Amino acid sequence: MQRDHSGDAGPTTQSAQAGGAASAVQMGGCRAVPVKSWVPDPKNPSRELPGRTIYTSSLVTPPVLAVEPVPGGSRVRVKETSAALAPIEMRFLDQGRHASTSGGRPDFHGQVCPDPYLADGLTRCVPGKFPIVYDVTEPGSALIRRGEEEHCADYIIAFLLTLGSVASEVNRLAQSGKTFASRAAAQKELSKTVKIPPQSWRTYFECLVKRVTAERDDWLKLHTLMKPRPERVRIESDATGAKVALYPVLLPGVGKHSSIELILKALPACNAEVGWKP
């Protein structure tokens, strides 16, 4: 099966293949892991997250441009290669009740107010110091998971457009039957379709991953759990805590921006990082 990216921007002018005769691209996909507690934020120990997609550079095996001698002569030919992306783990809160904490300490809500859409019996705002408990329903857990699936899609599409596409181009050259005077000559031929040199292939992919992740999480804050409004907080029956249902309004950024949109936005900076001028 071929996935045509010929109309997409990226470091090659040809399409990326998932599979094919040479199995140039190997992907483990996304692995969903529901968890029973908030996920620590590796960038901020005092912050805990409803979900996190775990990507490290060790998950990636980039393609290589290697040559081997042609029997009976002094020329060389390109060897087939592959690019691999190991399974990406997505952690997200499972359904259930989860106390909201920061740095291991409980979070509190200062007041609870009447909601005109809920028959809760409140007629005025009730002040207090209520420990916040998120009531994550099955749809609420699915909402968090969808946010993590966006990250996983970002990484897979970036991989296909860069390392996967490069591996397919190297294999196309390997299967062409062409021979070359040297590896440098083979690289020159490959540069007709792969515009970034081999030493920058991984760098280019890692740049896209870093910038797209930062765009979603740090700059646009698409997966930041919004602080609930007082009228969306319910007092527990024993008045010891405040219960918050995980409505979509608390994660308003999920589904707002596609992977391709954010990757295209990141391309100019990554092109500059590897010195490529389209």
Side-chain angles (χ1 to χ4, degrees), residues 248-265:
V249 71
L250 297 183
L251 283 170
V254 174
K256 296 294 185 183
H257 297 275
S258 71
S259 296
I260 288 295
E261 176 187 352
L262 298 184
I263 288 171
L264 288 174
K265 188 174 181 179

Side-chain angles (χ1 to χ4, degrees), residues 226-238:
M226 304 293 288
K227 185 177 181 180
R229 300 194 307 269
E231 64 270 19
R232 290 298 184 188
V233 180
R234 303 295 94 216
I235 299 178
E236 298 281 33
S237 58
D238 60 2

Side-chain angles (χ1 to χ4, degrees), residues 58-132:
S58 63
L59 296 176
V60 176
T61 303
V64 297
L65 176 62
V67 297
E68 60 185 1
V70 176
S74 60
R75 296 177 68 80
V76 297
R77 61 192 176 197
V78 174
K79 297 174 65 175
E80 292 189 11
T81 188
S82 64
L85 180 62
I88 300 171
E89 184 175 287
M90 307 180 304
R91 298 179 185 176
F92 55 93
L93 281 178
D94 199 0
Q95 62 186 97
R97 294 163 57 84
H98 304 280
S100 179
T101 61
S102 298
R105 298 180 178 180
D107 292 327
F108 295 93
H109 209 285
Q111 63 177 340
V112 178
C113 296
D115 187 334
Y117 300 101
L118 297 176
D120 54 17
L122 289 180
T123 58
R124 60 181 178 82
C125 292
V126 178
K129 189 177 182 181
F130 304 103
I132 299 176

Side-chain angles (χ1 to χ4, degrees), residues 35 38-39 48-53 91-93 144 148 223:
V35 295
W38 298 86
V39 182
E48 295 173 320
L49 308 171
R52 180 184 168 218
T53 299
R91 298 179 185 176
F92 55 93
L93 281 178
I144 302 171
E148 299 313 309
H223 295 164

